[in-house]
């Protein structure tokens, strides 16, 4: 079974530039998450989708971050414009959804460096 | 809100030593509890989980017991190996929420031969 795919693996951009990350969840997984992991900290949820609807985006800095999940499958996370403090690993995860015991599977992440 | 507090790292142990990584949580109700592991260059992987009080999760020689009375979920292993070197994250999931995971800050473990 293929895992959660993310691209790119690494990205270096200058502040005020734009960047986009892509995630392909495990086939059949209804729930998709984007987490931000700043160096030395645990992952923090940015946004959660159930199919193509947003369940939780309370921690998403909406003035610069946006995310979509078209057709309830792939998802993209965009930052525009980027700030130095956005340097982090962006993790995508997916789960079957629908119950407390559904395991979340994580991709390898995209490491973003803003200079 | 929900939160997870983990033992400060980094932790360095000799091979075959006994490992404990402490984890305590704050949550309403009865959350599910998890340990995730992140090996160098890889994504987060579920190591073990427990969904109710007194449950013991175990995998690859690691164990953790859900202690409701002390709101703890400490990770233990009797004899660590060099291959256990990784970052370990304790996490919880609120059963009444939207299935999001709340993570601790992580503990970096290094095992020396």
């Amino acid at each position: 079974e293929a895992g959660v795919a993310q691209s790119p693996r690494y990205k270096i951009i200058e502040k005020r530039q734009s960047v986009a990350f892509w995630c392909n969840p495990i086939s059949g997984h209804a729930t998709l998450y984007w987490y931000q992991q700043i160096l030395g900290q645990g992952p923090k949820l940015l946004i959660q989708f159930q199919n193509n609807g947003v369940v939780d985006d309370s921690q998403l800095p909406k003035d610069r971050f946006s995310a979509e999940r078209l057709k309830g499958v792939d998802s993209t996370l965009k930052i525009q414009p980027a700030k130095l403090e956005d340097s982090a690993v962006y993790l995508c995860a997916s789960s079957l959804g629908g119950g407390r015991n559904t395991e979340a599977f994580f991709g390898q992440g995209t490491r973003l460096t803003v200079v | 809100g929900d939160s997870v507090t983990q033992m400060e790292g980094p932790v360095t142990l000799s091979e075959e030593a006994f490992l404990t990584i402490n984890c305590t949580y704050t949550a309403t109700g009865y959350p599910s509890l998890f340990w995730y592991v992140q090996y160098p260059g890889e994504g987060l992987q579920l190591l073990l989980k427990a969904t109710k009080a007194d449950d013991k999760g175990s995998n690859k020689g690691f164990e953790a017991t859900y202690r409701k009375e002390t709101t703890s979920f400490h990770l233990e292993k009797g004899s660590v190996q060099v291959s256990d070197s990784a970052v370990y994250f304790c996490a919880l999931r609120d059963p009444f929420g939207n299935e999001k995971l709340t993570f601790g800050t992580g503990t970096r473990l290094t095992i020396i031969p």
Side-chain angles (χ1 to χ4, degrees):
Chain A
E1 177 183 271
V4 176
Q6 288 188 248
S7 67
R9 287 294 311 278
Y10 305 92
K11 190 73 176 179
I12 300 174
I13 62 171
E14 296 182 349
K15 59 184 179 184
R16 291 187 290 273
Q17 284 188 323
S18 302
V19 65
F21 313 128
W22 173 81
C23 173
N24 181 228
I26 292 173
S27 178
H29 280 195
T31 303
L32 185 146
Y33 314 80
W34 282 102
Y35 284 85
Q36 180 192 55
Q37 185 179 9
I38 293 173
L39 186 65
Q41 299 181 21
K44 180 186 79 172
L45 181 71
L46 291 175
I47 189 167
Q48 177 183 345
F49 293 93
Q50 179 75 16
N51 295 310
N52 60 351
V54 175
V55 173
D56 184 348
D57 64 356
S58 57
Q59 298 292 304
L60 187 74
K62 298 180 184 66
D63 58 334
R64 297 183 301 106
F65 286 64
S66 64
E68 60 182 7
R69 190 182 183 196
L70 298 176
K71 301 181 181 178
V73 182
D74 292 6
S75 177
T76 55
L77 176 70
K78 297 179 181 177
I79 307 175
Q80 180 179 10
K83 293 185 176 181
L84 295 176
E85 59 260 37
D86 298 331
S87 294
V89 176
Y90 291 85
L91 297 168
C92 181
S94 70
S95 68
L96 285 168
R100 63 185 287 181
N101 292 328
T102 55
E103 180 179 346
F105 294 84
F106 285 80
Q108 290 186 293
T110 296
R111 183 178 296 278
L112 173 67
T113 302
V114 182
V115 297
Chain B
D2 296 346
S3 66
V4 176
T5 301
Q6 266 186 254
M7 173 178 176
E8 291 286 328
V11 174
T12 303
L13 295 172
S14 297
E15 203 166 22
E16 298 183 3
F18 184 85
L19 168 71
T20 301
I21 301 178
N22 290 337
C23 171
T24 57
Y25 67 90
T26 301
T28 53
Y30 302 97
S32 295
L33 300 174
F34 305 82
W35 277 100
Y36 278 82
V37 59
Q38 190 171 36
Y39 297 105
E42 299 185 16
L44 285 167
Q45 302 174 25
L46 179 64
L47 180 60
L48 53 83
K49 68 179 183 182
T51 57
K52 60 183 187 296
D54 300 325
D55 264 4
K56 177 184 284 189
S58 62
N59 186 24
K60 299 182 180 180
F62 290 88
E63 293 183 339
T65 301
Y66 191 141
R67 301 288 188 198
K68 177 175 173 293
E69 62 275 14
T70 54
T71 62
S72 65
F73 193 54
H74 304 322
L75 182 68
E76 297 182 334
K77 186 173 185 182
S79 177
V80 292
Q81 305 300 312
V82 172
S83 57
D84 294 326
S85 298
V87 182
Y88 293 81
F89 293 91
C90 186
L92 68 79
R93 173 181 283 164
D94 180 354
F96 300 107
N98 57 11
E99 295 193 29
K100 77 173 185 180
L101 289 161
T102 299
F103 287 88
T105 54
T107 302
R108 180 175 298 277
L109 173 67
T110 302
I111 307 301
I112 53 176

